[in-house]
Amino acid sequence: VVLVFYSFCRLLFFIINKDFFDFPSYKTWLGGMRFDLSALGYLNLIFGLAHVIPGKFQDSKTYQRLLKILFFGVNTLLLGTNFVDFEYYKFIGRRSSFSMITAEGMEQEIPGLLLSYVTDYWYIPLLFLCFAGIFWMVLPTNKSNKPNLFTKFNAALSVLCLLLLFVAGRGGIQSKPLRIVDASEYAAIGQSALVLNTPFTILKTIGKKETLENYAFFSANKLNKLYSPIQNYATEGTAQKKNVVILILESFGRENIQRGQTPFLDSLITESYYFENGFANGKVSVDAVPSIISSIPSLMNKSFISSSYALNKVKAFPEIMKENGYHSSFFHGAFNGSQNFEQYCNNIQFDKYYGMDQYKGPKAFDGFWGIFDEEFMQYFRQELNTFKQPFFTTLFTISSHPPFTMPERHKGKFNKGTTEIHETIAYSDYALAKFFEKAKKEKWYNNTLFVLSADHTSACGQEAIYKNNLGKFRIPILFFDPSNTNLKGVSDKNFQQIDIMPSILDYLDLDSQIVAFGKSYKSKDNYVVNYIDNQYNYIQDNYYLVFDGKKTIGLFDWKKDPLLKDNLMKAQPELKNKMEVFIKAYIQSFNERVIKNQLTLNKDV
């Protein structure tokens, strides 16, 4: 009965997210059943044990009814986590882990966000209640009052069932228990969420620290020749002591701009050095900060900030800029401590953090998340006026984050677009325009490099090119220097968030030696690396390779084939092998340095 309901949840998951998936093959459904059996096997071992314990109480109607209630409660609770992912998947692009389902790092926001989720997606809890009701009705009940005449037989049967549950929980009799990554064996690229179920991913991540695999693809000497993240930036002449303002725009994915919702950002692009092929290094907000500020990509299932490696020594922007005479600050209009931003900022030595607790200005709490962008950006501008130049600062916007709350005075003012996020995207663009309108009059404006980047894409891209594992990362990134008319144009270079730190150091001609997994915009290198659903995405020039940690599973000419329909693995084996060597070296270097706490050079530790 439980297995049938797991399959029903998979069907609902597919129907609600059908725009993101091809119709699943029989292999996907059969593979999914293996993961379903694993989740229900581990979860129900306790009930198998409850029937093995000898005693006359086994024949008690009260005991049997208690077991049924507990069986129903436990299985309904875990099955219900699938319902969360019916909509949440659209935002994160994968099944939820334990830390995601418990909103780790957003404890203060949980009540408001939970209320907004129930309100905005009211049909989900309603559907769940119907599901739970049907589940209770179809569960069998032991109605016998007679003593059990087959005690030995039933005991043996219970032991056999217990063994079967254990084998099911392991996913079979293979040497290693079934893992999340094994889902890729049963589905096409980007489709593994259909094979998995949310109870399985939660059970596999609950109470576990993120542990990276210590790959040994190459020897140390060979690895250094293939790839090294050590980069040297030496001042040639006089360094530019320009202020640096990084604006991280919540959910401003590539699919949301240049479509009428962002008139200011569209106009700013024409005055900036814009990366047409810009990519995020993660799928959620918490991935963007270490990527942009520390040049550390998100190459694991748990965000770096929330992982067991979060306290690793990192030489990030604040320390580098401090060495060059800069004051550093980070602004985020949400609750202090939200998404562990404040803790991470303290770890990487920002001079000051400004959250909702520090905000001074008109009342502007959105009721769920924090201070509306318009008011917080003006507060941000006013604080910059008090800073001694040169300063380095970052602002992370919040208003285009679910639940997409609009200020009362602006309701109906902006184009609602075609999806629920578009109105708040338009509002945040308006707030950005207001910020620049007043910032232009400030003394520090013409001596400032502005860098704008989305944190990640949104959940609402309607075009097919934004729904595959490549399009899910496409974002706008631009550099704007009002005093440099030469820093203008459109670059077709493959550019990612982790390239921002090296690029700024290179542009300002600052002196530093760093460990960074990105590259400067002036570099001849043309790669992008990100990770989703246990697969590494590697873009090199016009080609996109998908690597599952052991082998390549896809190769595409992404510019000619943006929908990724033509797999070139067999047609271009030499290119596949060449790209595979690089991605192996990149992964090995990243994992080794994170595991061994070597994200700085020895002299910095």
Side-chain angles (χ1 to χ4, degrees):
V1 170
V2 176
L3 184 61
V4 169
F5 276 84
Y6 268 91
S7 294
F8 181 65
C9 286
R10 178 169 292 102
L11 179 61
L12 286 176
F13 178 81
F14 169 70
I15 291 172
I16 294 172
N17 293 282
K18 62 182 183 300
D19 290 342
F20 294 91
F21 299 104
D22 298 326
F23 191 83
S25 66
Y26 75 93
K27 185 179 180 182
T28 298
W29 287 109
L30 290 177
M33 289 180 66
R34 185 182 179 196
F35 284 86
D36 295 343
L37 284 165
S38 179
L40 71 87
Y42 275 140
L43 194 61
N44 291 293
L45 273 172
I46 185 67
F47 298 106
L49 285 169
H51 285 86
V52 170
I53 302 171
K56 291 184 178 180
F57 60 87
Q58 291 282 358
D59 297 317
S60 166
K61 289 180 65 176
T62 301
Y63 180 73
Q64 292 296 330
R65 186 166 183 80
L66 177 63
L67 285 184
K68 179 182 177 180
I69 292 171
L70 291 173
F71 181 87
F72 168 79
V74 170
N75 282 279
T76 302
L77 178 65
L78 265 293
L79 279 164
T81 60
N82 285 304
F83 286 72
V84 176
D85 273 346
F86 287 171
E87 288 293 340
Y88 198 30
Y89 173 81
K90 295 173 183 176
F91 294 90
I92 62 175
R94 62 180 186 266
R95 292 281 187 166
S96 293
S97 63
F98 178 73
S99 61
M100 287 182 178
I101 212 78
T102 55
E104 183 179 356
M106 296 188 290
E107 288 80 6
Q108 294 184 73
E109 294 95 327
I110 287 177
L113 292 176
L114 186 59
L115 177 62
S116 69
Y117 184 89
V118 172
T119 303
D120 294 341
Y121 306 112
W122 55 268
Y123 66 93
I124 296 292
L126 184 63
L127 195 62
F128 173 69
L129 289 175
C130 294
F131 174 90
I134 296 170
F135 184 42
W136 173 260
M137 287 189 291
V138 300
L139 286 179
T141 301
N142 183 4
K143 299 180 180 180
S144 174
N145 291 322
K146 297 179 181 179
N148 191 342
L149 301 177
F150 305 98
T151 304
K152 292 183 179 179
F153 173 77
N154 282 344
L157 187 60
S158 294
V159 170
L160 177 60
C161 287
L162 200 61
L163 290 173
L164 289 174
L165 283 170
F166 178 75
V167 172
R170 294 188 78 260
I173 58 174
Q174 69 283 351
S175 59
K176 292 184 177 180
L178 194 63
R179 303 164 299 170
I180 295 174
V181 70
D182 295 326
S184 62
E185 297 178 12
Y186 299 96
I189 296 169
Q191 309 279 299
S192 59
L194 267 182
V195 178
L196 293 165
N197 60 75
T198 308
F200 179 86
T201 57
I202 290 174
L203 290 169
K204 285 293 181 180
T205 55
I206 190 170
K208 292 184 178 179
K209 293 183 177 180
E210 178 74 21
T211 54
L212 290 170
E213 188 166 346
N214 198 359
Y215 289 108
F217 295 123
F218 309 103
S219 66
N221 289 335
K222 179 71 171 177
L223 179 63
N224 286 330
K225 291 178 181 178
L226 292 172
Y227 175 77
S228 173
I230 297 175
Q231 301 182 33
N232 294 287
Y233 294 92
T235 301
E236 297 178 4
T238 303
Q240 298 186 67
K241 291 298 180 75
K242 288 180 176 288
N243 306 309
V244 177
V245 174
I246 297 178
L247 301 174
I248 305 175
L249 307 177
E250 174 65 52
S251 300
F252 267 63
R254 181 68 176 80
E255 72 275 19
N256 289 325
I257 68 168
Q258 296 175 320
R259 51 172 296 137
Q261 299 299 126
T262 55
F264 175 75
L265 185 60
D266 296 346
S267 66
L268 189 63
I269 285 173
T270 64
E271 300 296 321
S272 306
Y273 192 66
Y274 175 66
F275 295 95
E276 175 66 29
N277 299 317
F279 292 87
N281 289 104
K283 196 65 183 69
V284 292
S285 299
V286 73
D287 294 331
V289 172
S291 295
I292 294 172
I293 305 300
S294 312
S295 195
I296 298 175
S298 180
L299 299 185
M300 47 188 170
N301 290 317
K302 196 167 189 177
S303 297
F304 182 81
I305 283 181
S306 304
S307 73
S308 56
Y309 307 112
L311 296 179
N312 279 14
K313 171 65 177 174
V314 177
K315 188 168 186 178
F317 255 137
E319 184 177 352
I320 296 168
M321 302 306 270
K322 190 175 295 184
E323 292 174 351
N324 286 276
Y326 283 73
H327 171 272
S328 62
S329 56
F330 190 98
F331 290 74
H332 186 225
F335 290 99
N336 285 59
S338 175
Q339 303 190 73
N340 294 326
F341 286 164
E342 187 171 11
Q343 294 89 325
Y344 188 69
C345 287
N346 290 335
N347 184 46
I348 60 176
Q349 301 181 39
F350 267 100
D351 289 319
K352 192 163 183 182
Y353 182 91
Y354 296 81
M356 195 169 75
D357 289 351
Q358 287 73 37
Y359 169 73
K360 297 175 183 177
K363 290 183 178 180
F365 180 53
D366 65 10
F368 297 98
W369 196 245
I371 307 300
F372 283 116
D373 283 350
E374 184 180 1
E375 285 81 3
F376 198 78
M377 281 188 178
Q378 293 306 321
Y379 164 69
F380 172 61
R381 176 187 58 81
Q382 291 164 5
E383 288 297 314
L384 296 188
N385 291 336
T386 68
F387 293 166
K388 180 181 177 181
Q389 299 188 55
F391 55 76
F392 166 80
T393 189
T394 301
L395 168 73
F396 203 133
T397 68
I398 70 165
S399 290
S400 43
H401 187 288
F404 309 126
T405 307
M406 287 288 294
E408 285 293 330
R409 68 183 183 280
H410 288 309
K411 287 184 177 180
K413 179 177 180 179
F414 302 103
N415 184 355
K416 290 186 178 295
T418 56
T419 60
E420 59 184 343
I421 193 176
H422 284 158
E423 186 179 18
T424 53
I425 288 286
Y427 163 69
S428 291
D429 181 75
Y430 166 82
L432 192 64
K434 287 292 185 181
F435 166 77
F436 272 92
E437 179 184 318
K438 293 193 175 182
K440 286 180 180 179
K441 301 173 184 178
E442 308 296 355
K443 294 180 180 179
W444 48 264
Y445 179 78
N446 286 321
N447 187 42
T448 300
L449 170 67
F450 294 90
V451 177
L452 284 76
S453 170
D455 59 341
H456 54 73
T457 54
S458 71
C460 309
Q462 293 183 317
E463 297 178 53
I465 60 172
Y466 298 118
K467 293 177 181 177
N468 57 44
N469 275 6
L470 189 69
K472 287 176 182 177
F473 291 92
R474 298 201 66 177
I475 61 169
I477 303 177
L478 61 89
F479 284 36
F480 171 63
D481 185 342
S483 66
N484 184 358
T485 56
N486 293 322
L487 190 69
K488 187 183 294 188
V490 177
S491 171
D492 64 354
K493 188 180 185 70
N494 297 326
F495 196 82
Q496 58 198 324
Q497 289 169 331
I498 58 174
D499 296 339
I500 290 174
M501 187 172 88
S503 295
I504 291 177
L505 297 179
D506 208 356
Y507 177 72
L508 297 181
D509 200 21
L510 297 180
D511 187 21
S512 190
Q513 189 177 35
I514 58 173
V515 173
F517 292 92
K519 79 281 183 189
S520 169
Y521 75 112
K522 296 180 182 179
S523 169
K524 293 181 180 179
D525 291 329
N526 197 29
Y527 66 84
V528 163
V529 176
N530 48 48
Y531 176 88
I532 188 171
D533 219 7
N534 298 286
Q535 294 171 356
Y536 297 90
N537 299 321
Y538 166 40
I539 302 169
Q540 178 65 49
D541 300 321
N542 292 355
Y543 291 93
Y544 162 53
L545 180 133
V546 188
F547 185 71
D548 70 359
K550 294 181 179 179
K551 62 184 182 303
T552 295
I553 58 177
L555 176 65
F556 306 89
D557 185 333
W558 68 276
K559 290 189 176 179
K560 291 182 179 179
D561 177 28
L563 298 181
L564 311 180
K565 298 294 185 181
D566 187 15
N567 195 329
L568 303 175
M569 281 177 56
K570 294 181 180 179
Q572 299 201 42
E574 291 184 8
L575 176 63
K576 186 209 80 166
N577 292 337
K578 181 180 178 181
M579 292 183 70
E580 192 175 288
V581 168
F582 177 85
I583 192 60
K584 283 181 176 179
Y586 191 92
I587 296 167
Q588 182 176 337
S589 180
F590 175 84
N591 285 17
E592 281 185 3
R593 286 186 173 274
V594 171
I595 292 170
K596 297 177 181 178
N597 196 5
Q598 295 178 349
L599 293 173
T600 64
L601 303 177
N602 289 333
K603 66 178 182 179
D604 300 318
V605 176

